[in-house]
Amino acid sequence: QVQLVESGGGLVQPGGSLRLTCAASGFTLDYYAIAWFRQAPGKEREEVSCISNYDGHTDYADSVKGRFTVSRDNAKNTVYLQMDSLKPEDTAVYYCAAAEGLYKRCVFDIYLYDSWGQGTQVTVSS
């Protein structure tokens, strides 16, 4: 059974850092592009970052460029999202999602991603 489990969320002060982990089980991440999305209360789910499985191409939403870094460790079947210089507007539930296939470039099309984790809460507040 395909399963994604996020962890690493929590409460952090503005300017702080968190590292989110997305652990996969039941399938091998080598065959999937992975994306991070987030959803704040009362808002639609939005893309944050993605990473391809062909050559590790990455992409970021403008709102997080320069602050967030996505990476993958296929040997550990895990993807990470390093979040630095966090802002209150980064507060949301963060989800990782997987899209099966070989992607030279990752894409933010939410409909491509058919496996989702349960989400982890990130709260940025003083």
Side-chain angles (χ1 to χ4, degrees):
Q1 183 178 357
V2 172
Q3 188 174 17
L4 295 170
V5 178
E6 303 95 335
S7 61
L11 173 64
V12 64
Q13 292 187 343
S17 298
L18 284 173
R19 188 176 81 156
L20 303 185
T21 297
C22 173
S25 62
F27 66 103
T28 302
L29 277 182
D30 300 46
Y31 304 113
Y32 292 80
I34 302 295
W36 288 93
F37 293 84
R38 67 186 181 188
Q39 188 166 19
K43 294 188 177 181
E44 293 189 354
R45 194 167 296 190
E46 63 176 4
E47 64 275 5
V48 176
S49 181
C50 61
I51 184 166
S52 76
N53 57 336
Y54 181 76
D55 59 1
H57 166 261
T58 59
D59 201 2
Y60 300 90
D62 288 343
S63 59
V64 307
K65 277 181 182 175
R67 301 188 298 120
F68 290 12
T69 304
V70 63
S71 61
R72 62 192 298 156
D73 186 339
N74 287 347
K76 294 184 178 180
N77 228 25
T78 301
V79 174
Y80 305 97
L81 184 67
Q82 178 67 40
M83 305 187 297
D84 299 317
S85 302
L86 282 162
K87 304 175 181 180
E89 51 264 43
D90 294 319
T91 296
V93 178
Y94 283 70
Y95 301 89
C96 66
E100 187 175 7
L102 184 61
Y103 291 88
K104 281 191 173 182
R105 298 180 66 85
C106 65
V107 292
F108 280 140
D109 184 348
I110 195 169
Y111 297 104
L112 281 178
Y113 295 88
D114 52 11
S115 297
W116 291 77
Q118 83 291 347
T120 185
Q121 176 70 46
V122 172
T123 303
V124 185
S125 176
S126 55

